[in-house]
Amino acid sequence: GAVVSQHPSWVICKSGTSVKIECRSLDFQATTMFWYRQFPKQSLMLMATSNEGSKATYEQGVEKDKFLINHASLTLSTLTVTSAHPEDSSFYICSARTPRLAGGSSNNEQFFGPGTRLTVL
Amino acid sequence: DAKTTQPTSMDCAEGRAANLPCNHSTISGNEYVYWYRQIHSQGPQYIIHGLKNNETNEMASLIITEDRKSSTLILPHATLRDTAVYYCIVRVVGYGNKLVFGAGTILRVKS
């Protein structure tokens, strides 16, 4: 399957600082990427949909000014957690959707990155 | 997207087939059944998907009932590395659709 990477794989930061997480599609171009958050022993929760060249679409209850998403190229989306606090500590996972196949049919599969473990002290 | 119901957890002996059920009684005609799994502290991994016909790939088989109200993911020869949370997701395949994860089934493969 397609490969999606995330960087860093883990990060520890002080309360009040900002943290940037990168999501890259390594062997395909992704016009759409998704950002999820997962707390311990819980399922993944979709935070936002990131579209290349346009503003991200945030899910209800997700603060867009706190979780800044930039999708500046077809292979890179970034999530910046601004003024992080301990309650933002979580496992952040991105996914990228494969492009449409030739002939108009859509493969439309999502491939996930390995996740980034954020700990805010 | 239709809601799915999965057992909370299941155990399977190593080398045996693991059969993971999923109920999606409210599925509509244009909704596909997708299966992903998540090994501890990793991102989810795509396994398989189908509409109404049974599907098989190198990882698993997907059996969908004729009325499409339920399905079963089959791992033919489970190994310890198959221990993971398995998510059954039903959604319309359109270019704008999101994946919404439920609680999933914790599969424990035991030696």
Side-chain angles (χ1 to χ4, degrees):
Chain A
V3 180
V4 176
S5 70
Q6 281 184 241
H7 178 80
S9 55
W10 60 269
V11 57
I12 301 172
C13 69
K14 293 182 179 179
S15 186
T17 61
S18 294
V19 175
K20 180 185 284 188
I21 302 170
E22 295 185 347
C23 176
R24 294 181 184 273
S25 55
L26 298 185
D27 50 1
F28 66 99
Q29 293 183 331
T31 55
T32 303
M33 293 183 174
F34 301 87
W35 286 96
Y36 294 80
R37 180 168 54 180
Q38 185 175 34
F39 292 108
K41 298 188 178 181
Q42 295 186 21
S43 188
L44 286 80
M45 291 192 61
L46 180 65
M47 299 175 67
T49 302
S50 169
N51 295 300
E52 186 268 335
S54 64
K55 291 182 179 180
T57 303
Y58 290 81
E59 295 299 302
Q60 192 172 9
V62 178
E63 300 175 58
K64 62 180 181 181
D65 294 330
K66 180 170 182 63
F67 299 99
L68 302 179
I69 292 172
N70 185 283
H71 194 157
S73 78
L74 289 172
T75 59
L76 174 63
S77 175
T78 61
L79 168 68
T80 301
V81 183
T82 63
S83 186
H85 291 285
E87 58 265 30
D88 298 321
S89 297
S90 189
F91 192 48
Y92 291 86
I93 307 167
C94 73
S95 70
R97 187 165 53 199
T98 55
R100 293 183 187 275
L101 299 176
S105 63
S106 172
N107 190 17
N108 201 29
E109 302 311 333
Q110 277 191 46
F111 292 90
F112 288 80
T116 296
R117 177 79 57 191
L118 170 63
T119 302
V120 184
L121 302 178
Chain B
D1 294 333
K3 183 178 173 62
T4 63
T5 304
Q6 298 178 252
T8 303
S9 65
M10 295 181 64
D11 290 340
C12 176
E14 188 178 20
R16 303 296 294 270
N19 298 286
L20 292 93
C22 179
N23 184 289
H24 31 79
S25 58
T26 60
I27 192 171
S28 58
N30 60 347
E31 288 183 309
Y32 285 68
V33 180
Y34 276 75
W35 283 85
Y36 282 79
R37 73 179 182 183
Q38 186 179 25
I39 296 170
H40 183 63
S41 293
Q42 296 183 24
Q45 177 188 21
Y46 166 81
I47 301 173
I48 199 167
H49 76 281
L51 181 63
K52 53 184 177 181
N53 296 324
N54 297 337
E55 302 287 345
T56 295
N57 61 22
E58 64 278 5
M59 288 184 68
S61 294
L62 174 61
I63 308 298
I64 303 174
T65 58
E66 195 169 336
D67 63 8
R68 303 206 326 120
K69 293 185 176 182
S70 65
S71 61
T72 302
L73 178 75
I74 301 173
L75 307 178
H77 304 287
T79 71
L80 298 177
R81 288 178 294 180
D82 292 321
T83 293
V85 180
Y86 287 76
Y87 298 99
C88 169
I89 301 170
V90 171
R91 69 178 182 115
V92 175
V93 177
Y95 216 61
N97 293 104
K98 306 171 284 194
L99 282 174
V100 178
F101 287 79
T105 295
I106 300 170
L107 174 68
R108 300 185 190 93
V109 180
K110 300 182 175 181
S111 57

